[in-house]
Amino acid sequence: MKMKKFINQPENIVAELLEGFALSHPQQIRLVGNNLVARAAPKAKGKVGVVTLGGSGHEPGLSGFVGEGMLDVSVPGEIFAAPGAPRCLEAIRLADYGAGVLFIVLNHAGDVLSANLTMEMAKREGLNVKMTLTHEDISGGTNPEDRRGLVGFLPVYKVAGAAAEEGQPLDACFEIAERMGRNMRTLAVAVQTATHPSTGHAIFELGDDEMEIGMGQHGEAGTGRMKLKSADETAEIMLEMLLKDLEVKAGEELLVVINGAGATTLMELFILFRRVDQILKARGIKLARAKVGEFITTQEQAGFQLMIARMDQVLLRLWDAPSNAPYFVVR
Amino acid sequence: MKMKKFINQPENIVAELLEGFALSHPQQIRLVGNNLVARAAPKAKGKVGVVTLGGSGHEPGLSGFVGEGMLDVSVPGEIFAAPGAPRCLEAIRLADYGAGVLFIVLNHAGDVLSANLTMEMAKREGLNVKMTLTHEDISGGTNPEDRRGLVGFLPVYKVAGAAAEEGQPLDACFEIAERMGRNMRTLAVAVQTATHPSTGHAIFELGDDEMEIGMGQHGEAGTGRMKLKSADETAEIMLEMLLKDLEVKAGEELLVVINGAGATTLMELFILFRRVDQILKARGIKLARAKVGEFITTQEQAGFQLMIARMDQVLLRLWDAPSNAPYFVVR
């Protein structure tokens, strides 16, 4: 299948998409410095800054979540590639309003490499930065370091961003982010490949009747290639694995996020969610909050990510706090 | 290409997707009666009710826009098919809080047939209903009746819904909806077909290097099949046609909406928006507001709709008013 995308010169994709993003949301965000996505109206002194980094081509992730109540600055990389450390350092300086900076990093090799280098440079400059790593993809095995960061970034941005917005100090924001991170689990499934928009090449191959559970954000191999299953069967398999890994007990309260990969429809995500809700009810687990939509995509890939997170009253309050981020408005 | 969708029995798609939609947004919407999507907390007496109808398979359209500040009740049909008049009448009765009902209908043959029959039945019951038809697709020619209703439903729902919310009477809400309708124009382009989720069949065919401007929501033939063009060229062709048809002059204020068809990425929509913004600036036309995202989709179809609307101060105020509709939250 030939790639049919509305682009111009492939080498200009990232610059042009960021320009369009900024022009379409002038009240909320602006581009500053070396293509950093920052709030249009930065906070005055005293607030902890919240910064993230990540490759482009996953819109609205990650820069769509810059805004009051969420991120202060996002550092977008090239397509499917981490940004370099100098731009991350620039973002941290920008977000340092005097109360320190929380640096949220998704566990992918390139991102972690840039982030670690950034932390060394920041330390040398005497900047007050704490880094939190999200790694909630259970397909990576039992070692946390082998678990990738998937859509779990969303609740981490949300609760840590809300804590920062209400004036909590850096240590507290860091602890909130880590607590959210420890209590969430994600599993992805893919049924159709994406093409890399700069080259037009498929990023993985799947048979006409196959799906793969555990596939990473860019087609990284998962744990279970199998025949395509119904929505209900797919939801059952994935949710059981997640509940077991997080050791969820009856009576506990969960946040559930279903994230569409790109070409998978909201229609399908709702059908999947229905089965998730049925299973939780049958097990006496309370659905505290839900979010269904596209938060991090991979071009025209089809599939979805299912995330569950154990919530407490503090995390729920922060999840519900207002946000004006362009792709996550909360009243 | 084989359809790979997460569904169960094809005959249950609509019931299951509505169930999942309602379960995932219990604070905002609920299913009532014969699968009508209504507000979870209906308004007390005295507010004009706002009702719409339309086929399923286009999520988040149309039911994703039920909520405070937008719709009161949406009547979802089967996949790509209008609901029948009896359910529309049920919706109108439900939304009649004593101040009458505004019935917003998108110009598609099936929807109009059901809507006209509903209006007759409502009149016989003595209900106070006014119907407004959206028909802003300029590919239909110069006769308004031949112009389909595309993503223009969004500003009409928004401004009429906001007018109803602030307590304006039915005549005023109707006039606001009509004024919005007269001042908007849309053009669609498709580059890749969708499959009908119940049958797995492609709904139209396009060559590997072709695109079609003016294609309708369900693959209805457009006016211009041509070789695939760059993002900038496509935006230029389409925006010029729209500006000419709406007779936009320098100094006027526009709302621009870019709606992704399903598989087209937000990345591409931002790149397209950037060019739209450049052209408007060059012509001295003011971009008053913008919205870029997926508001009405057609499964895994690739392409987008470009909408422009001439705004005045009243329309802008109503566009900016708060909404808690699940897929159109405005603070």
Side-chain angles (χ1 to χ4, degrees):
Chain A
M1 189 176 64
K2 195 172 175 295
M3 182 181 81
K4 296 174 83 171
K5 289 185 184 172
F6 295 104
I7 57 173
N8 299 302
Q9 294 303 314
E11 60 272 26
N12 297 336
I13 289 176
V14 173
E16 291 183 354
L17 89 87
L18 291 173
E19 194 184 336
F21 174 46
L23 288 167
S24 54
H25 298 88
Q27 304 301 316
Q28 296 115 308
I29 63 119
R30 65 195 172 116
L31 295 182
V32 293
N34 194 352
N35 264 343
L36 306 178
V37 178
R39 296 190 191 183
K43 272 279 161 177
K45 278 193 165 188
K47 179 194 161 300
V48 167
V50 185
V51 173
T52 200
L53 79 159
S56 295
H58 300 297
E59 291 65 33
L62 301 170
S63 305
F65 308 109
V66 173
E68 281 174 43
M70 290 187 83
L71 302 173
D72 289 271
V73 186
S74 160
V75 191
E78 286 299 305
I79 299 288
F80 305 162
R87 288 176 62 226
C88 296
L89 186 67
E90 188 187 344
I92 286 169
R93 285 194 206 111
L94 191 69
D96 188 354
Y97 313 120
V101 173
L102 180 67
F103 190 30
I104 305 176
V105 182
L106 284 65
N107 190 21
H108 295 281
D111 293 315
V112 172
L113 199 70
S114 284
N116 286 339
L117 192 52
T118 303
M119 289 300 286
E120 280 181 37
M121 293 158 73
K123 196 178 288 180
R124 242 176 283 141
E125 284 198 17
L127 292 166
N128 182 20
V129 189
K130 289 200 130 181
M131 172 175 146
T132 184
L133 193 67
T134 71
H135 41 67
E136 88 283 7
D137 177 2
I138 64 169
S139 77
T142 51
N143 184 353
E145 286 180 23
D146 296 333
R147 295 185 161 191
R148 289 179 285 253
L150 299 179
V151 74
F153 71 82
L154 187 70
V156 175
Y157 290 174
K158 186 66 187 65
V159 299
E165 206 72 42
E166 62 183 35
Q168 295 200 38
L170 180 56
D171 284 349
C173 293
F174 173 77
E175 175 44 39
I176 289 285
E178 292 273 311
R179 189 158 101 221
M180 188 75 249
R182 280 193 304 273
N183 283 288
M184 66 193 193
R185 299 290 186 278
T186 302
L187 198 52
V189 61
V191 295
Q192 185 189 284
T193 187
T195 45
H196 191 297
S198 305
T199 65
H201 293 145
I203 62 175
F204 60 89
E205 297 294 341
L206 261 178
D208 259 6
D209 57 350
E210 284 182 327
M211 66 183 204
E212 178 155 343
I213 288 181
M215 184 168 275
Q217 192 69 49
H218 317 88
E220 297 93 333
T223 47
R225 192 165 285 214
M226 58 184 83
K227 293 286 171 199
L228 193 61
K229 299 215 171 341
S230 72
D232 282 2
E233 289 168 319
T234 308
E236 285 155 22
I237 294 169
M238 292 171 67
L239 184 58
E240 291 300 335
M241 290 170 75
L242 291 164
L243 291 171
K244 191 179 167 193
D245 197 277
L246 188 60
E247 299 177 5
V248 180
K249 293 174 219 37
E252 290 189 316
E253 293 198 293
L254 294 189
L255 160 70
V256 173
V257 175
I258 302 190
N259 175 65
T264 289
T265 60
L266 202 47
M267 174 192 91
E268 294 161 85
L269 304 185
F270 288 146
I271 292 172
L272 289 157
F273 182 83
R274 168 191 149 276
R275 185 66 192 133
V276 168
D277 186 86
Q278 288 173 345
I279 296 169
L280 296 182
K281 280 197 178 89
R283 289 171 159 246
I285 298 161
K286 193 181 163 193
L287 178 76
R289 299 291 185 278
K291 204 79 191 172
V292 181
E294 291 182 348
F295 310 105
I296 181 160
T297 63
T298 303
Q299 301 294 311
E300 70 280 39
Q301 184 172 318
F304 66 92
Q305 296 178 13
L306 177 59
M307 191 214 78
I308 63 170
R310 181 185 285 119
M311 302 298 276
D312 57 40
Q313 292 314 303
V314 172
L315 294 178
L316 284 173
R317 179 175 59 76
L318 296 169
W319 174 260
D320 290 339
S323 159
N324 83 345
Y327 290 88
F328 206 84
V329 179
V330 182
R331 294 214 297 172
Chain B
M1 190 177 63
K2 195 173 175 291
M3 181 181 83
K4 295 175 86 170
K5 288 185 185 172
F6 296 104
I7 58 172
N8 299 302
Q9 295 302 313
E11 60 272 26
N12 297 337
I13 289 176
V14 174
E16 291 183 356
L17 89 86
L18 290 173
E19 195 184 335
F21 173 46
L23 288 166
S24 54
H25 298 87
Q27 305 301 317
Q28 295 114 310
I29 62 119
R30 64 194 173 115
L31 296 182
V32 293
N34 194 352
N35 265 344
L36 305 179
V37 178
R39 295 191 191 182
K43 272 278 160 178
K45 278 192 166 190
K47 178 195 162 300
V48 168
V50 185
V51 172
T52 200
L53 80 159
S56 294
H58 300 296
E59 291 66 34
L62 301 171
S63 304
F65 307 109
V66 173
E68 281 173 44
M70 290 187 82
L71 302 173
D72 290 88
V73 186
S74 159
V75 191
E78 286 300 305
I79 300 287
F80 305 161
R87 287 176 62 226
C88 296
L89 186 67
E90 189 187 344
I92 286 170
R93 285 194 205 112
L94 190 70
D96 188 355
Y97 313 121
V101 173
L102 179 68
F103 191 29
I104 305 176
V105 181
L106 283 67
N107 191 21
H108 294 281
D111 293 316
V112 172
L113 199 70
S114 284
N116 285 339
L117 192 52
T118 302
M119 289 301 284
E120 280 181 35
M121 291 159 72
K123 196 177 287 178
R124 242 178 280 142
E125 282 197 17
L127 292 166
N128 182 20
V129 189
K130 289 200 131 182
M131 175 176 144
T132 185
L133 192 68
T134 71
H135 42 65
E136 87 282 8
D137 176 4
I138 64 168
S139 78
T142 51
N143 183 353
E145 287 180 22
D146 295 333
R147 295 185 160 192
R148 289 180 285 252
L150 299 179
V151 75
F153 72 82
L154 188 72
V156 175
Y157 290 175
K158 186 67 187 66
V159 299
E165 207 72 41
E166 63 182 35
Q168 295 200 38
L170 181 55
D171 283 350
C173 293
F174 174 78
E175 174 43 41
I176 289 285
E178 292 271 313
R179 188 157 102 220
M180 188 75 248
R182 279 192 305 272
N183 283 288
M184 66 192 192
R185 299 290 188 276
T186 302
L187 198 53
V189 61
V191 294
Q192 184 189 282
T193 186
T195 44
H196 190 298
S198 306
T199 65
H201 293 144
I203 62 175
F204 61 89
E205 298 294 341
L206 262 178
D208 259 6
D209 57 350
E210 285 181 326
M211 67 183 204
E212 179 156 343
I213 288 181
M215 185 168 277
Q217 192 68 50
H218 316 87
E220 297 93 333
T223 47
R225 191 166 286 213
M226 58 185 81
K227 294 286 171 199
L228 193 62
K229 300 214 170 345
S230 73
D232 282 2
E233 289 168 318
T234 308
E236 285 155 22
I237 294 170
M238 292 171 70
L239 184 59
E240 290 301 335
M241 290 170 75
L242 290 164
L243 291 171
K244 188 179 169 195
D245 196 278
L246 187 59
E247 298 176 6
V248 179
K249 293 176 219 38
E252 290 189 316
E253 293 199 291
L254 293 189
L255 161 69
V256 173
V257 175
I258 303 191
N259 175 65
T264 288
T265 60
L266 202 47
M267 172 193 91
E268 293 161 86
L269 304 184
F270 289 145
I271 292 172
L272 290 157
F273 182 82
R274 168 192 149 275
R275 185 65 193 135
V276 168
D277 186 86
Q278 288 173 345
I279 297 170
L280 295 182
K281 281 197 178 90
R283 288 171 159 248
I285 298 162
K286 191 178 164 197
L287 178 76
R289 300 291 185 277
K291 203 80 191 171
V292 181
E294 291 182 348
F295 310 106
I296 182 161
T297 63
T298 303
Q299 302 294 308
E300 70 278 39
Q301 184 173 318
F304 67 93
Q305 296 177 15
L306 177 60
M307 192 214 78
I308 62 169
R310 181 185 285 118
M311 302 298 275
D312 57 41
Q313 292 313 304
V314 171
L315 294 178
L316 284 173
R317 178 175 59 76
L318 296 168
W319 173 260
D320 290 339
S323 159
N324 83 346
Y327 290 88
F328 206 84
V329 179
V330 182
R331 292 213 299 174

